[in-house]
C-alpha cells in the first residue's frame, strides 16, 4: 500500500475551502474570481507534488505525471454550485493531489463547469474527450445571468488558450472520488459506496403560453393564466409519475418562472425547468412518454398551450468492472463489510470520461444527505478512509 | 355643455404615448427617466392650459385652477406597468387637461406610482390624503430590483421637495376616467361604464420552507421539496376557491419563486405572491379563511411548512351617488342606452381620494379586454365619447 499523507490531504481540503468561503461551504461559480483563484491554487499544488500543471481554453486543469506509465487519471471538478458545499468536486481533485504526493503515477484533472453554470453542460469533461465544438461554445450562456460563455472565458483570462484533449492510450482508467449527495450510505450504516453506474439526466423546458392581463379587470372565466396551467400540469405530473417511475428514479422541477411576475398581472407565460434521472433507458423513456401524454392532455383541457423543449439528454454510464473490482477489494481490505455497490443519482464527469477509458467512482457518505447547500459535510474519518481506499485501489489497478 | 377640443385631447394622448414608447404601448416605470420626462411634459401642458403646475416630494403632479370655486379634481396616474399600455392612467390625466383647456374649473392630478412599482402601494394618492408617513417611505423598496424608494426619489431629483396634501373643502369631488381593463363593456356591446365601487385587494406572500438538496442524490421519499408543496397548495386553492368566492371575485398568483432556481437542485424555499379581490368584505373574509384552512391542511400533510405573510389589505370604496348621477345623466344624454353601472375589479387612485371627498369613475371599453400589456387599446371614438361625457358630467356636478 502506498504512503499517503492524510494530514496533508485534509490541509489541502481546508485551504481550498478558504477560497470563496460561504458560511461553512464555498461560493465558487465557474470562472468567478474565486473559481479562477482556486484553479491557480490547484496548479501550484500540482507542481509541488511533481506534476506538470496546465490550464486550457475552458479552464480545465491537468497535472501530468512526468514518469513512465502505466498511468491513471484521477480527479473531478473544483468550481461549486452557488453558496454550496466545500467537498462536492473538490474532494476528488484533492484526493488526486494526495495520490500524486504519495508517489503514485497519476495525472490529476479538474474538469471545468461540471456544475453547469453554463448551459452547455459538463463543458470541461466533454471538451476533454473531444465532444464540444467551437460553435457550441459560441452559443453557450450562463444560466443565471445570461453572460456569453465566450465573454466569461475572456474575463477569466482563458481566451485564446488551446483546449486540451485527454491522451488516447495513456491511462489504465479514471478514478473519481466524490461525496454521495444522498443518505443511502448513512441509512445503511456504511462508509463507502462503489458506484455501479451513473444515471442519465433528461431535461426539458416546459413553456406555457397564455394571455397577460390585469388581475382585477379580467374575470376568472375569461383568463388565460399561464401560471395556473403550469400548476395544474405539475400537479398532474406529481400524481402520475409514481406509477411509471423506476425504484430509484427522480424527477425535479427546479424553477418556475411566471412572466411578468408582478402581483397584479395574470401571467401571460410560464416556464418550467423539469428533469428526470434514472440508470435505465426504458424507465427514462416511460417517464418521457408520460410527460408528453400529460402535456397533450393539458393542451386539450386548458386555454393555455404547453410545449416541451428538450434541453439535454445523455445516456447512463456503466462503471468499469475491473476498476470496480479494485475499489471493492480495497474497500473490503480496509473496511470489511462497511461498503456497498450503488448507482449514482447525480451526474459526474466520470460519465463522460467513461466514453474514452475505463472509469469508476468511489462515494463517501454525506452527513444528513445534504448537498448543493453550504451545510454539506462529511465526517473527517470517512474522508480519510475514502482516500486510503482510493490509493489502495489505484495501486491494485496499476499492478 | 362646455367646448371640448377633442383633437387636442387625442394629440396630447399620442404625444404622451411617444415618451417611453414600447411597441404600441409604453414602458414608464415609476421614477424612470421616461416617467420623469412624462411628468415634466405634463407640467408644461398644465401651464399651457392656464393651470399652476407643481410636483411634490413623491412625484405627484397637481395643476391648480387659478380662478374661484367651486372646483372639481380630475386625474389619475401617468407611470405605466412594465412594457404596458398607453392609456392606463394616462387617459384620466389627459382628460383632465382637456377639461381645463375647455375652461372648466378643474384641478388636474397625476398621482405617483399607482401601479405599485414600489411596495408601499398607491404611494401618490395615499400621500396626498395624508396616509403615508416618512417611516413608510424610508422602508419602501422597488418590487422588481429592490432599490430603496428614497434612493429612487433622490435619483429622480425629488429629494427634499415637500409632499402635497389635497386641500380640504376645495373640491366638489374627484372624477377619474379610465380604461375598463376587462371585457364586460365589449361583451355587452356598451361604450361607457359608470363605476359603482372599487374592489378591495388583499394580498399575501406565501412562504414555504423545505430543504435544498441535490436532485440526483436525494430520493423522492427523502425530499422536502418546497416547490412541490407550493404546486400542491396552489392546485388546492384552484379547486376550493370557486366554491367560496363571489360572483365577481378574482384570485391571482402573480409570481412563484423557487430558491435557488437551478435545474439540478431541489428547491429549499418557495415564495408565492397571491391576491384576492372583491367589492364585498364578507366575501373577502371567506376567501381568506379558506386560504388559511388550506395552508393548515398543507402543513398537516406536507414535509415543508407554509406560512402566510400579509402584504397589503385595503377596504372596498363605494362611489359617490351624486357624481354617479351626473355621469349617468351625461352618458344617457350623449349615448342613450349605451352605458351600464359596474364595479371596478382593479384598484384605482379614486379609492383613496374617496376617503376625503366624493369620488366617481368613468370607464371606456378595452379592446379585447387587454390590459397591463403593450397591446392594450381603446377605439378612438370611445375615447372621444368618454371625454365628452366626463366634461358634461363635470359641468352638471359643478352646477
Amino acid at each position: 500500500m502506498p504512503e499517503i499523507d492524510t494530514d496533508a490531504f485534509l490541509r489541502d481540503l481546508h485551504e481550498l475551502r478558504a477560497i470563496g468561503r460561504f458560511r461553512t461551504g464555498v461560493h465558487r461559480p465557474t470562472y468567478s474570481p474565486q473559481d479562477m483563484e482556486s484553479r491557480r491554487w490547484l496548479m501550484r499544488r500540482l507542481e509541488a507534488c511533481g506534476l506538470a500543471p496546465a490550464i486550457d481554453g475552458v479552464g480545465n486543469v491537468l497535472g501530468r505525471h512526468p514518469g513512465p506509465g502505466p498511468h491513471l487519471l484521477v480527479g473531478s471538478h473544483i468550481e461549486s454550485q452557488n453558496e454550496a458545499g466545500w467537498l462536492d468536486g473538490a474532494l476528488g481533485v484533492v484526493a488526486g493531489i494526495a495520490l500524486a504526493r504519495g508517489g503514485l503515477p497519476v495525472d490529476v484533472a479538474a474538469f471545468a463547469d461540471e456544475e453547469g453554470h453554463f448551459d452547455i453542460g459538463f463543458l470541461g469533461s466533454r471538451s476533454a474527450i473531444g465532444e464540444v465544438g467551437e460553435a457550441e461554445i459560441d452559443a453557450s450562456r450562463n444560466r443565471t445571468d445570461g453572460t456569453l460563455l465566450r465573454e466569461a472565458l475572456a474575463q477569466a483570462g482563458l481566451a485564446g488558450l488551446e483546449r486540451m484533449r485527454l491522451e488516447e492510450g495513456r491511462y489504465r482508467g479514471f478514478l473519481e472520488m466524490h461525496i454521495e449527495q444522498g443518505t443511502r450510505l448513512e441509512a445503511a450504516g456504511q462508509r463507502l459506496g462503489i458506484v455501479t453506474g451513473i444515471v442519465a439526466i433528461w431535461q426539458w423546458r416546459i413553456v406555457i403560453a397564455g394571455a397577460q392581463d390585469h388581475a382585477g379587470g379580467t374575470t376568472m372565466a375569461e383568463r388565460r393564466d399561464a401560471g395556473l396551467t403550469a400548476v395544474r400540469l405539475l400537479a398532474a405530473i406529481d400524481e402520475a409519475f409514481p406509477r411509471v417511475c423506476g425504484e430509484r428514479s427522480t424527477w425535479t422541477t427546479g424553477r418556475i418562472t411566471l412572466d411578468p411576475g408582478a402581483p397584479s398581472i395574470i401571467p401571460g407565460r410560464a416556464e418550467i425547468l423539469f428533469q428526470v434521472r434514472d440508470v435505465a433507458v426504458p424507465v427514462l423513456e416511460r417517464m418521457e412518454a408520460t410527460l408528453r401524454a400529460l402535456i397533450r392532455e393539458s393542451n386539450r383541457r386548458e386555454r393555455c398551450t404547453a410545449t416541451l423543449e428538450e434541453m439535454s439528454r445523455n445516456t447512463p454510464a456503466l462503471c468499469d468492472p475491473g476498476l470496480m473490482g479494485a475499489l471493492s477489494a480495497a474497500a473490503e481490505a480496509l473496511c470489511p463489510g462497511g461498503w456497498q455497490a450503488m448507482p449514482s443519482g447525480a451526474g459526474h464527469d466520470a460519465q463522460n470520461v467513461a466514453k474514452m477509458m475505463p472509469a469508476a467512482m468511489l462515494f463517501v457518505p454525506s452527513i444528513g444527505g445534504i448537498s448543493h447547500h453550504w451545510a454539506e459535510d462529511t465526517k473527517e474519518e470517512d474522508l480519510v478512509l475514502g482516500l486510503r481506499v482510493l490509493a489502495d485501489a489505484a495501486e491494485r489497478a496499476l499492478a
Side-chain angles (χ1 to χ4, degrees), chain A residues 18-33:
Chain A
I19 304 174
R21 179 187 294 277
F22 178 82
R23 298 201 183 189
T24 63
V26 295
H27 181 67
R28 291 197 304 260
T30 311
Y31 310 133
S32 63

Side-chain angles (χ1 to χ4, degrees), chain A residues 21-280:
Chain A
R21 179 187 294 277
F22 178 82
R23 298 201 183 189
T24 63
V26 295
H27 181 67
R28 291 197 304 260
T30 311
Y31 310 133
S32 63
Q34 297 80 1
D35 176 47
M36 293 310 294
E37 188 186 336
S38 74
R39 289 178 202 279
R40 289 188 296 269
W41 172 89
L42 173 61
M43 290 174 74
R44 290 193 301 272
R45 270 289 162 289
L46 293 171
E47 192 156 30
C49 297
L51 303 190
I55 189 163
D56 85 346
V58 294
N60 281 333
V61 173
L62 183 71
R64 269 174 81 91
H65 183 262
H71 292 102
L72 283 173
L73 182 64
V74 182
S76 188
H77 62 94
I78 54 172
E79 83 283 336
S80 77
Q81 288 275 1
N82 294 326
E83 304 178 358
W86 67 300
L87 293 168
D88 186 343
L91 177 60
V93 175
V94 173
I97 299 174
L99 266 53
R101 189 186 280 120
L104 284 164
V106 298
D107 289 1
V108 177
F111 296 110
D113 201 34
E114 191 268 352
E115 294 294 4
H117 288 276
F118 290 83
D119 54 13
I120 211 163
F122 292 101
L123 169 60
S125 53
R126 287 185 54 232
S127 170
I129 61 167
E131 264 195 8
V132 177
E134 293 298 311
E136 201 177 346
I137 292 179
D138 289 337
S140 176
R141 288 183 180 273
N142 187 293
R143 290 190 214 260
T144 306
D145 62 19
T147 310
L148 281 169
L149 173 55
R150 286 283 182 212
E151 279 171 25
L153 290 172
Q155 277 214 319
L158 297 170
L161 296 186
E162 259 192 73
R163 287 193 284 136
M164 64 177 62
R165 289 282 289 273
L166 292 175
E167 188 183 320
E168 291 275 1
R170 176 174 167 87
Y171 304 106
R172 285 258 171 111
F174 174 61
L175 289 176
E176 183 171 4
M177 178 176 171
H178 206 281
I179 54 168
E180 180 197 354
Q181 308 180 272
T183 58
R184 218 162 148 186
L185 290 174
E186 199 177 68
Q190 286 175 324
R191 299 178 63 195
L192 297 160
I194 315 293
V195 175
T196 55
I198 299 168
V199 296
I201 307 177
W202 291 8
Q203 197 155 280
W204 296 274
R205 187 182 287 114
I206 306 172
V207 177
I208 298 172
Q212 178 178 328
D213 244 320
H214 188 288
T218 314
T219 60
M220 299 311 286
E222 290 162 345
R223 295 180 178 210
R224 293 180 54 221
D225 182 335
L228 188 54
T229 299
V231 162
R232 289 174 182 158
L233 177 62
L234 290 170
I237 289 172
D238 178 41
E239 281 195 20
F241 266 52
R243 296 195 288 265
V244 297
C245 70
E247 198 194 340
R248 285 278 303 180
S249 303
T250 58
W251 55 97
T252 307
T253 298
R255 192 189 302 170
I256 303 172
T257 309
L258 305 189
D259 198 43
S264 287
I265 309 186
I266 299 164
R269 186 175 185 279
E271 188 178 303
I272 297 164
L273 296 189
F274 184 74
Q275 63 164 233
V276 299
R277 296 177 186 229
D278 203 276
V279 280

